[in-house]
Amino acid sequence: ERLKSMPVSVPRSQAQSHVLWPEIDRITAEQLHYARQGVGEGVWELFAEDGEMRMYKREEEVNGLVVDPLKAVHTVKGVTGFEMCHYFFSPDYRLDWETTIEQMKVLEKVSDDTMIFLQIHKRVWPASQRDALFWSHLRQVPDSRDPDAQNIWIVCNHSTEHHSAPEKSNGKYIRVFLTVALVCQTMIEPPKNGAQITRDDLTCKITYCSVVNPGGWAPASVLRAVYKREYPKFLKKFTHYVYDQCKNKPIRF
Ligand code: 18C
């Protein structure tokens, strides 16, 4: 009798009981949808290219502040989408690849796949120093075109508030507002004669989308220069880092 009344499915994420869950669920789904839309139709302007990497932006301003949306695509061999997303999400590795940070703190570990971060970023002259307070959520995504494929992962970061963070208005830093998504899909070239899959058979297709509102005055020309320098630097450094970390380790899907 007791067995009959037990739930038939286990919750997908332990974060489901958290007050932020409806927002996390909605924004992650929106970002996934947005990431999967192409960069065609002339609205996106290519501004950086290096090997397989392409970075596009749209120039946009909100109340006089530059908030140019960014969309990047990249292809990296030898790693899985899970591995990429794992290294992007986990605080343990952040300082290894993130070069814009001065300090990082996990304010709340909601669950294994959801955390709240407070980061202090490096100051860019002549603007005030910035901090960022955001939830970060890692999730595996079912592929609607191939329901058997369990090979797409997303990390979504989105600005939030938290009782243990300084108020954004009286803190030492100007708080930025960000929405960031990293979506990664593993492509597998099936090895011949049913041999075991090796890293040579893997290709990871990456889409990275970001919108950062500087939150307060910052000269547009400096900001666009920082943007143009920092985003390509980030995506190259981060993907090399994951490749190096993984190359001699067993494959993780
Ligand atoms: O996605 C990335 N990282 C994640 C984990 O850290 C997370 C963070 C997002 C970054 C938010 C940007 C915070 C502002 C940073 C200030 C500028 C620092 C530059 C330092 C240079 C030495 O999702 C990877 C992000 C990689 C690239 C970020 C570049 C952001 C540029 C946008 C600028 C807007 C802030 C205005 C600052 C004033 C400048 C005149």
Side-chain angles (χ1 to χ4, degrees):
E1 262 322 293
R2 266 191 66 216
L3 276 175
K4 273 189 195 151
S5 62
M6 280 173 78
V8 286
S9 64
V10 287
R12 280 176 308 148
S13 168
Q14 287 174 295
Q16 279 183 330
S17 55
H18 196 275
V19 62
L20 279 174
W21 180 256
E23 177 184 293
I24 292 173
D25 208 32
R26 175 174 57 82
I27 298 211
T28 304
E30 279 171 16
Q31 288 299 307
L32 179 67
H33 180 76
Y34 175 68
R36 286 173 143 185
Q37 288 171 349
V39 280
E41 281 110 57
V43 286
W44 291 94
E45 174 196 335
L46 182 71
F47 76 93
E49 203 173 351
D50 191 338
E52 296 286 314
M53 187 184 83
R54 305 270 180 283
M55 285 198 163
Y56 304 83
K57 67 166 177 173
R58 273 188 346 239
E59 295 207 344
E60 268 180 31
E61 289 176 24
V62 174
N63 302 325
L65 297 178
V66 171
V67 296
D68 300 354
L70 171 124
K71 195 167 207 169
V73 291
H74 198 5
T75 302
V76 176
K77 290 193 168 290
V79 296
T80 67
F82 170 74
E83 288 165 338
M84 275 291 166
C85 285
H86 169 68
Y87 284 96
F88 187 72
F89 172 74
S90 172
D92 301 348
Y93 316 104
R94 181 125 343 137
L95 297 177
D96 295 347
W97 57 265
E98 173 58 275
T99 58
T100 76
I101 283 185
E102 220 169 76
Q103 276 180 56
M104 180 213 64
K105 209 161 130 185
V106 176
L107 291 188
E108 187 179 339
K109 183 172 174 181
V110 175
S111 58
D112 285 342
D113 57 21
T114 309
M115 296 184 205
I116 297 172
F117 289 95
L118 178 63
Q119 297 188 157
I120 298 168
H121 289 268
K122 290 179 184 163
R123 177 167 180 248
V124 181
W125 185 90
S128 306
Q129 197 165 9
R130 261 58 180 179
D131 70 5
L133 169 58
F134 58 94
W135 53 254
S136 184
H137 177 58
L138 167 73
R139 176 185 297 198
Q140 188 170 35
V141 188
D143 186 341
S144 50
R145 284 157 291 191
D146 179 4
D148 292 334
Q150 294 288 312
N151 55 1
I152 301 176
W153 288 80
I154 180 171
V155 178
C156 186
N157 296 343
H158 183 74
S159 285
T160 190
E161 284 164 22
H162 199 266
H163 56 85
S164 64
E167 288 289 326
K168 57 176 174 284
S169 51
N170 58 18
K172 196 175 153 203
Y173 309 102
I174 296 185
R175 186 149 302 155
V176 300
F177 296 94
L178 61 91
T179 304
V180 169
L182 178 77
V183 178
C184 297
Q185 180 170 22
T186 315
M187 314 302 285
I188 305 169
E189 180 73 41
K192 300 214 166 58
N193 317 320
Q196 267 236 304
I197 293 170
T198 71
R199 290 199 175 273
D200 295 337
D201 309 313
L202 303 177
T203 304
C204 182
K205 282 173 61 180
I206 300 165
T207 306
Y208 174 83
C209 301
S210 168
V211 182
V212 180
N213 182 319
W217 181 82
S221 59
V222 179
L223 201 149
R224 288 202 165 110
V226 169
Y227 194 100
K228 199 170 171 177
R229 183 187 68 215
E230 294 301 323
Y231 279 114
K233 184 175 163 191
F234 146 66
L235 199 56
K236 279 190 270 179
K237 180 163 180 158
F238 171 68
T239 52
H240 277 135
Y241 173 76
V242 177
Y243 177 85
D244 274 343
Q245 287 292 308
C246 293
K247 64 184 178 206
N248 297 318
K249 298 198 177 97
I251 302 169
R252 293 174 71 190
F253 287 100

